[in-house]
Amino acid sequence: MKNALRMISVLIIVGLVSGGVLVCVYNYASPLIQRNEEEALQEAIFKVLPGITKYNELKKDGMTLYEGLDQKGNVSGYVFIAEGNGYQGPIRLIASLDKDLSRLTGLEVLESSETPGLGAEITQEFFKEQFRNLPVLLKIAFTKGAVSKPNEVQAITGATISTRAVVEILNLKIEEIRSVFGK
Amino acid sequence: MPLYKEFTKGLWKENPVFVQVLGMCPTLAVTTSAIYGFSMAAATTFVLVSSSFVVSVFKRFIPNQVRIATYTVIIATFVTVAHYFLKANFPPISKALGPYVPLIVVNCIILGRAEAFASKNSVVRSLADALGMGVGFMIALVILGGVRELFASGAVFGYTVMPHWQPWVIMILPAGAFISLGILVGVFNLISTRMKR
Amino acid sequence: MNLILIFIAAAVTNNFVLTYFLGICPFIGVSNRLESAFGMGMATTFVMTLAATVTWLINHYLLIPLHIEFLEYVTFILTIASLVQLVEMFIRKTSPELYRALGIYLPLITTNCAILGLTLFVVLRNYAFLEAVIFGFGAGVGFTLALVVMAGIREELEFADVPKPLKGTGITLIIAGLLALAFMGFGGLISS
């Protein structure tokens, strides 16, 4: 009996001390983590929308869109973040649209865990380049052969799933954006 | 046994990776480059040293029946600390190591040292032992990471060593990790037997 | 459809052992005989499915509502350890036969990183409840598959003339590498 009591009290004390330590660490780390995330976001926005000097955050119906402004204060484009599941895990993208929301103007991959050498090629310039100035009034499509339509991109050899994931993530989000923010 | 030997045994004679074959998941998973191997080993060493310290200080108060549960909570606490520290101060490294930082909790090296050494030895000896094992783990991870990075990109720690190298994609793939480590273990055994003669 | 995809991905194309390196310790330790490999695989599959289910519930009904996600690792590892203990007691009481078959493997499972890894992946990938359960089961099946294939090869290997320094761990790792390459071929399964 005495032994059992001792066991339980030791476990409780260990649990409490552990919880206490973690609360302190969490309180120390969470503002820093948040700052890192904000900095990363800022950097990514300036990367997909070069030439802007500042941006505003627009929120509507639970969706966030970043409005990029040039030196004179004119809108030069919009940036959005989209995510979905790829072949090996989540893919997070950041992309920019022109001011009519009719063309993609840039794409960067924030996060992905696709297979190196195959799916991970989505982070390569040759792949992202295909999305620059891609019209999005029609849904984006992909092909395994040569590109024949203006709204098509070429799939990465051996990584059709990753290509499709990127295309579908973009299509879904762009449609939402156009229905919420479009005029 | 002299104190310095508690430290040095982990480096070669009882190297956790090459000899004891412990802690394999992080060893294989994060060693796509030397710097990731180094960061992972640093985080592991931190957890190993801190938990060995705590276990050896409080060994008298921990009842035998619940010792494993207690050790696990202690280890998990330090792992969470390491995880948040990396996330707050080194976000790119934290992102690259991904779920393998939390997996330090189940790295058999740590629970193994707590159970086999820290719970039976003095604080100073436990610290020397944990530090030695940590450094031994680091040596293994940096060598493996370096070899894989070298053949995958012609660079080590990001510095190009072999220009115009045709990258071997297999070295960053899981298969490359297994095969490189297998060959390294073989080389290690070869050197060990030569040295004994 | 999505559930089938999750199952196949967890079991074959993204096999826990061969692509995420989770559960390597038992993979190298228990894979020298076919029979024990199968027993270990079964026990692990059982605990994995259970662990995925229970930790999902804990995460969604306890940690997230109370905003104490930073206790995730501590809670999960304790949950897994107690689950293994409960399963062991339950099996010993209800089915002595099953206990004889799986019993000795159960304590080893607590320190199998594949289980904790699995529960962390479930959180990371935001799986819904049913997806999490299927993911856990698939991962277990994949673990068993890798273990059994490996054990089959190693039983044959006993008669092979392996260079001395590579005997044991070395050659096991190299074979695992070749297996990982072979499993990459399954990637085509989910391509269109």
Side-chain angles (χ1 to χ4, degrees):
Chain A
M1 188 57 209
K2 206 180 148 202
N3 206 6
L5 211 65
R6 186 159 159 245
M7 266 161 61
I8 292 166
S9 53
V10 165
L11 278 181
I12 290 175
I13 292 169
V14 169
L16 285 179
V17 171
S18 150
V21 169
L22 290 185
V23 169
C24 297
V25 170
Y26 184 72
N27 285 340
Y28 152 77
S30 57
L32 286 173
I33 293 170
Q34 212 177 346
R35 207 192 61 207
N36 289 335
E37 278 166 4
E38 273 161 19
E39 273 172 9
L41 175 71
Q42 199 173 346
E43 201 180 304
I45 290 176
F46 283 110
K47 200 168 172 193
V48 287
L49 214 56
I52 60 167
T53 50
K54 63 176 231 163
Y55 65 88
N56 298 321
E57 199 179 284
L58 309 175
K59 278 197 170 160
K60 198 172 168 188
D61 295 351
M63 288 200 24
T64 313
L65 197 62
Y66 302 92
E67 178 186 58
L69 302 172
D70 65 10
Q71 260 170 340
K72 290 173 199 146
N74 297 324
V75 175
S76 58
Y78 296 94
V79 176
F80 64 91
I81 291 174
E83 60 187 315
N85 274 325
Y87 175 56
Q88 291 221 319
I91 298 181
R92 240 163 90 87
L93 305 167
I94 184 163
S96 53
L97 290 163
D98 67 357
K99 55 179 189 287
D100 310 320
L101 303 178
S102 65
R103 267 172 200 281
L104 275 172
T105 53
L107 173 73
E108 289 295 327
V109 179
L110 292 177
E111 223 173 278
S112 85
S113 44
E114 303 304 285
T115 323
L118 296 169
E121 300 287 293
I122 59 169
T123 59
Q124 297 283 332
E125 209 46 52
F126 79 88
F127 182 71
K128 293 184 299 197
E129 183 59 38
Q130 300 190 78
F131 290 85
R132 210 149 288 150
N133 288 320
L134 190 72
V136 293
L137 291 175
L138 286 171
K139 277 198 163 167
I140 308 169
F142 66 92
T143 168
K144 291 182 191 174
V147 174
S148 58
K149 297 189 196 100
N151 63 331
E152 261 181 356
V153 294
Q154 194 175 24
I156 296 166
T157 318
T160 321
I161 297 194
S162 306
T163 311
R164 171 184 312 161
V166 170
V167 167
E168 278 179 3
I169 292 168
L170 288 173
N171 275 336
L172 201 71
K173 193 74 180 185
I174 291 170
E175 202 182 307
E176 278 175 23
I177 289 173
R178 291 177 60 86
S179 70
V180 173
F181 291 95
K183 287 141 208 156
Chain B
M1 190 140 101
L3 187 61
Y4 76 93
K5 277 204 168 161
E6 301 287 13
F7 173 74
T8 52
K9 70 175 191 288
L11 306 185
W12 184 269
K13 217 172 81 211
E14 290 179 30
N15 186 292
V17 175
F18 292 137
V19 180
Q20 303 186 53
V21 201
L22 291 175
M24 284 290 123
C25 18
T27 309
L28 291 161
V30 302
T31 49
T32 47
S33 75
I35 188 74
Y36 294 152
F38 176 81
S39 325
M40 183 68 198
T44 310
T45 308
F46 162 74
V47 177
L48 184 57
V49 171
S50 337
S51 49
S52 277
F53 174 75
V54 173
V55 166
S56 70
V57 167
F58 293 103
K59 58 180 178 284
R60 237 170 289 150
F61 305 99
I62 301 171
N64 206 25
Q65 299 91 324
V66 291
R67 66 180 195 288
I68 300 288
T70 318
Y71 298 162
T72 316
V73 174
I74 293 171
I75 295 169
T77 310
F78 282 118
V79 169
T80 316
V81 171
H83 172 76
Y84 277 109
F85 178 79
L86 279 179
K87 217 173 161 186
N89 296 310
F90 303 97
I93 289 178
S94 160
K95 213 165 144 185
L97 299 182
Y100 293 101
V101 174
L103 284 174
I104 297 175
V105 177
V106 276
N107 189 328
C108 342
I109 300 174
I110 300 176
L111 193 63
R113 286 340 277 175
E115 165 77 1
F117 201 92
S119 62
K120 300 188 185 87
N121 285 282
S122 73
V123 178
V124 181
R125 274 179 188 275
S126 303
L127 280 177
D129 171 76
L131 207 60
M133 289 294 160
V135 175
F137 188 59
M138 190 176 284
I139 292 173
L141 258 66
V142 170
I143 292 179
L144 184 59
V147 168
R148 287 179 69 191
E149 191 183 352
L150 181 68
F151 289 113
S153 65
V156 173
F157 278 110
Y159 296 107
T160 310
V161 182
M162 303 191 292
H164 316 298
W165 178 253
Q166 174 64 42
W168 296 2
V169 175
I170 188 181
M171 295 307 276
I172 6 178
L173 293 175
F178 283 116
I179 294 172
S180 321
L181 183 62
I183 293 171
L184 279 180
V185 168
V187 170
F188 187 93
N189 285 341
L190 196 67
I191 298 173
S192 291
T193 41
R194 284 277 157 83
M195 270 167 55
K196 264 179 214 150
R197 256 183 234 155
Chain C
M1 181 55 211
N2 198 16
L3 289 179
I4 300 173
L5 205 65
I6 286 175
F7 178 79
I8 294 178
V12 188
T13 56
N14 292 342
N15 189 286
F16 260 48
V17 181
L18 298 173
T19 54
Y20 296 130
F21 313 102
L22 297 171
I24 297 283
C25 296
F27 180 65
I28 290 170
V30 199
S31 69
N32 39 17
R33 283 190 49 242
L34 206 55
E35 203 180 318
S36 50
F38 193 70
M40 183 71 187
M42 282 329 229
T44 309
T45 308
F46 187 61
V47 176
M48 271 186 162
T49 318
L50 217 58
T53 314
V54 175
T55 53
W56 192 92
L57 292 172
I58 290 182
N59 193 35
H60 283 255
Y61 289 102
L62 205 70
L63 298 185
I64 293 177
L66 294 176
H67 298 292
I68 45 171
E69 287 100 332
F70 54 90
L71 290 181
E72 189 183 316
Y73 311 152
V74 181
T75 334
F76 281 12
I77 188 72
L78 277 183
T79 312
I80 293 167
S82 10
L83 261 181
V84 171
Q85 202 94 77
L86 281 178
V87 168
E88 193 186 347
M89 289 191 311
F90 181 76
I91 293 183
R92 196 182 337 195
K93 281 260 162 65
T94 52
S95 160
E97 259 162 61
L98 197 63
Y99 182 74
R100 260 197 300 276
L102 301 185
I104 46 166
Y105 304 112
L106 282 169
L108 291 175
I109 290 178
T110 317
T111 49
N112 182 343
C113 40
I115 317 256
L116 185 69
L118 169 97
T119 59
L120 296 175
F121 273 128
V122 169
V123 176
L124 224 57
R125 295 185 184 174
N126 266 324
Y127 279 139
F129 181 67
L130 210 57
E131 287 174 339
V133 177
I134 295 288
F135 181 61
F137 181 63
V141 171
F143 180 76
T144 315
L145 189 66
L147 210 61
V148 168
V149 171
M150 191 68 197
I153 297 175
R154 279 182 80 176
E155 281 192 351
E156 295 298 315
L157 206 66
E158 278 174 24
F159 309 106
D161 188 18
V162 178
K164 215 172 167 203
L166 287 177
K167 273 210 166 89
T169 320
I171 194 71
T172 312
L173 285 167
I174 293 174
I175 291 172
L178 297 177
L179 264 183
L181 269 185
F183 267 64
M184 272 183 73
F186 286 116
L189 266 181
I190 337 183
S191 87
S192 61

